[in-house]
């Protein structure tokens, strides 16, 4: 039991370390320059192809969801005919 606790203590100390293993380049100034550039594009599309794809997908899902909700409201409002 004691060995398990000691092993657990060792593992927790090893994994919760504040030392960084590798340095990551700071790209914030590049991104700030890109997004503050006045090129007539909306800010939500300045990220490139991925932003455009996400925007179009979101709009398509929104339009589809709105149309489907209206359709379901219409179906719910119409009484079913009973023979």
């Amino acid at each position: 039991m004691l060995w398990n606790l000691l092993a657990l203590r060792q593992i927790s100390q090893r994994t919760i370390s504040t030392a960084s293993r590798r340095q990551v380049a700071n790209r914030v100034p590049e991104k700030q320059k890109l997004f503050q550039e006045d090129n007539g594009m909306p800010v939500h599309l300045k990220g490139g192809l991925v932003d455009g794809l996400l925007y179009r997908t979101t709009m398509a899902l929104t339009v589809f969801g709105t149309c489907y909700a209206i359709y379901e409201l219409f179906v719910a409002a119409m009484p079913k005919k009973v023979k």
Side-chain angles (χ1 to χ4, degrees):
M1 178 75 175
L2 181 62
W3 291 109
N4 290 340
L5 289 175
L6 289 175
L8 183 63
R9 181 174 166 227
Q10 244 181 353
I11 291 171
S12 67
Q13 285 177 347
R14 218 177 308 150
T15 58
I16 305 174
S17 174
T18 57
S20 178
R21 292 182 185 226
R22 63 183 165 123
Q23 287 294 98
V24 178
N26 185 9
R27 293 182 294 183
V28 172
E30 298 169 18
K31 292 292 184 179
Q32 284 177 338
K33 190 180 213 180
L34 172 74
F35 283 100
Q36 290 175 355
E37 186 177 298
D38 187 19
N39 58 2
M41 287 181 71
V43 74
H44 59 274
L45 296 177
K46 285 188 177 184
L49 183 66
V50 176
D51 281 351
L53 184 62
L54 283 172
Y55 174 73
R56 287 184 183 98
T57 303
T58 302
M59 287 299 113
L61 287 172
T62 302
V63 168
F64 174 75
T66 302
C67 292
Y68 185 70
I70 291 171
Y71 168 76
E72 286 297 325
L73 285 171
F74 180 74
V75 168
M78 295 294 154
K80 293 183 179 180
K81 294 182 181 178
V82 180
K83 292 185 178 181

